[in-house]
Amino acid sequence: MPAASHGDVDLSDSSSNARRRALSQFLAGVEVRAFRIAQTALRHEDDALDAVQDAMLQLARAYSERPAQEWPPLFYRILENRIRDMQRRRTVRNRVMSWLPFRPDPDEEEPDPIAGAASDEPLPVRRLEIDESMAALQQALEALPRRQQQAFMLRTLEGLDVAQTALAMGCSEGSVKTHYFRALQTLRATLGDLHHEP
Amino acid sequence: MSRDLNGTTGFERQLQALLQDSVQRVSGHARSRLNQARHAALAEAVRPGRGNLLRRLTTRGGRRLLWMPAAGAVAAGVLVAVLLWPRAHQPYPAAEASHATVEDLDLLADRDGMGLLQSGDGQFYEWAMAQSDKSPPAGSDGPDKGSGAGRGGDTNSG
C-alpha cells in the first residue's frame, strides 16, 4: 500500500482493509454452499452461479459496513430474493415460450466439453453408492415446498441456528421450526433410511 | 448445531454428510466462477464513493431527505437558466419597443404637432414626405436635422 510505503499510519485504510479481508473470508466460506443451495432451488447451474454472484455483489455494495455477524442472514436473505426473482422470471418466460409455435428445447444446450470429459479416476462402488444416495436426496429436496427446502438447507447445510434462519427467511422462529420439521418428515418418508452414509 | 427436534438426529446426520459431500464435489468450473464473483464483489465494496453513495441512499433515510431537495433546487435553477438564457441575450427587440413607446409618448406630448394636425395644414407633411424621398447627404445626421429645420421654418413662417 502506498500509505505503508511512506510510513504513514492511516487508521481508516487499515480498518477498511481488515473489513475487506473479513468480507473476503466470509464470502469464500459460504460461496460453495450458497451455490449448492441455489442450485437445488433453481435446478440450473448457471442460474445458481448468477444468483450467488448477485448476492455477493449486493452484500458487498450495501452491507459491507455492517457487523460481520450480520452477514450470514443478510447474505442468505439476498440470495433467497434473487432465487425468487429468477423463479418468477423463469415462470413468465415459460408462459411466453409456450405460446410460441417454435421454441428451443432446453435440453439442446451445447454440452460443456470439460464437464463431459471422462475422468481418469476410477469410480469405486462406494462412490457410486454415495452418488445414488445424493441423487435421491437431491430429487427429494427439489420436490419439497420452497420454504421447507430453504429452512432445511439453511439449517442442515449452512448450519445457521433457528434465529439466523428466521432472519434469513424473513419469518418467525416458530415458522422455521415448522418448515424444518415438515421437511424432515417428507424426506424421511421419501428416502426411508439411507443405506449409504458417506 | 443445536437440535430442537428429537428422534431425527441420525437421519439428519446422514443428510448433512451427503450434502457436505456434494459441496466438496462442486466442479472446478463452478468454483472458478464463484472465485471471480467474489473478487468482483470485493472490488465493488472498496470502490471509492460508490459505497458511500449507496449507503446514503439506502440505509440513511434522513440524509437522503436532505439530499433530494438540494439536488432538485439545483436542477430547477439550471432549467430556469436554460429557458431564460436566449431571451436574456436578445436586447434589441426590448430596446426598440421601449424606444418606440417613448417616441409615441413624445409625439402625443408635442403640442406643436397637435397644432399642425388641428390646423389642417398639410404643407408640412407634404414637405416631410418630399424630404424623406431624397437621399440624405453622406455623413450627415440629416433626417432629424432636416425635419427639425423644416418644422421650425414652417412654424416660424406660419
Side-chain angles (χ1 to χ4, degrees):
Chain A
M1 292 295 291
S5 65
H6 292 295
D8 297 330
V9 177
D10 191 336
L11 290 177
S12 63
D13 270 3
S14 63
S15 171
S16 81
N17 282 338
R19 182 156 287 277
R20 188 172 183 272
R21 274 197 302 274
L23 184 62
S24 176
Q25 286 173 358
F26 166 73
L27 293 177
V30 300
E31 63 190 15
V32 183
R33 290 195 301 273
F35 165 69
R36 282 292 293 124
I37 291 173
Q39 192 181 25
T40 301
L42 294 167
R43 305 178 198 177
H44 194 278
E45 180 172 322
D46 284 338
D47 285 353
L49 288 168
D50 288 345
V52 175
Q53 179 173 358
D54 289 349
M56 284 180 172
L57 281 171
Q58 182 67 18
L59 183 82
R61 280 175 183 164
Y63 301 108
S64 61
E65 300 294 327
R66 298 288 284 267
Q69 63 268 23
E70 293 183 13
W71 287 341
L74 281 171
F75 175 75
Y76 281 105
R77 185 75 175 268
I78 298 167
L79 180 64
E80 174 58 25
N81 288 339
R82 291 297 303 136
I83 289 171
R84 198 163 37 204
D85 288 346
M86 286 183 160
Q87 286 174 331
R88 284 175 184 158
R89 273 209 299 269
R90 185 183 292 172
T91 304
V92 172
R93 189 174 60 214
N94 289 341
R95 281 181 189 163
V96 171
M97 295 298 281
S98 68
W99 284 91
L100 297 178
F102 170 77
R103 54 183 182 273
D105 187 354
D107 294 334
E108 288 181 357
E109 290 179 356
E110 282 194 22
D112 183 359
I114 297 176
S119 171
D120 294 335
E121 182 185 354
L123 291 175
V125 177
R126 176 74 178 146
R127 182 75 256 167
L128 284 174
E129 289 174 351
I130 293 171
D131 286 348
E132 284 175 3
S133 296
M134 185 58 223
L137 173 59
Q138 185 72 26
Q139 194 172 359
L141 283 173
E142 290 174 0
L144 284 177
R146 179 69 194 111
R147 300 292 274 174
Q148 291 183 26
Q149 183 191 98
Q150 190 184 6
F152 177 80
M153 294 298 271
L154 290 176
R155 297 274 286 117
T156 305
L157 180 57
E158 186 51 39
L160 298 186
D161 60 24
V162 175
Q164 286 179 317
T165 307
L167 273 175
M169 292 177 63
C171 63
S172 68
E173 295 183 15
S175 296
V176 170
K177 291 176 183 175
T178 304
H179 289 311
Y180 183 72
F181 177 71
R182 288 179 180 165
L184 277 180
Q185 274 188 321
T186 307
L187 290 174
R188 183 184 286 279
T190 306
L191 300 172
D193 287 329
L194 290 171
H195 300 291
H196 311 296
E197 187 173 354
Chain B
M1 191 162 90
S2 64
R3 296 294 183 189
D4 52 352
L5 300 168
N6 296 324
T8 56
T9 304
F11 184 64
E12 284 179 75
R13 197 178 299 119
Q14 280 185 308
L15 297 181
Q16 190 176 17
L18 275 175
L19 288 172
Q20 292 292 352
D21 181 69
S22 75
V23 167
Q24 298 296 323
R25 301 188 66 215
V26 166
S27 68
H29 167 71
R31 287 180 186 274
S32 172
R33 276 196 59 186
L34 290 169
N35 193 29
Q36 291 172 8
R38 172 162 32 96
H39 283 95
L42 291 171
E44 195 74 21
V46 298
R47 183 175 293 177
R50 181 77 183 258
N52 291 335
L53 174 65
L54 284 173
R55 200 162 52 247
R56 276 188 218 126
L57 291 175
T58 55
T59 62
R60 297 184 184 174
R63 294 190 70 176
R64 183 183 181 183
L65 290 176
L66 293 176
W67 238 74
M68 300 305 284
V74 170
V78 169
L79 182 64
V80 169
V82 167
L83 289 175
L84 295 182
W85 185 262
R87 297 187 181 189
H89 280 74
Q90 291 177 352
Y92 299 111
E96 285 173 357
S98 63
H99 186 59
T101 306
V102 170
E103 280 187 343
D104 291 343
L105 289 172
D106 198 27
L107 283 173
L108 289 173
D110 187 357
R111 291 188 177 182
D112 292 341
M114 291 300 290
L116 284 171
L117 284 172
Q118 288 171 356
S119 67
D121 185 5
Q123 291 180 355
F124 166 72
Y125 295 104
E126 290 172 7
W127 175 84
M129 290 289 289
Q131 290 296 313
S132 64
D133 289 341
K134 294 177 183 175
S135 60
S140 70
D141 47 358
D144 290 338
K145 193 175 179 180
S147 63
R151 271 175 68 184
D154 281 345
T155 50
N156 287 339
S157 63

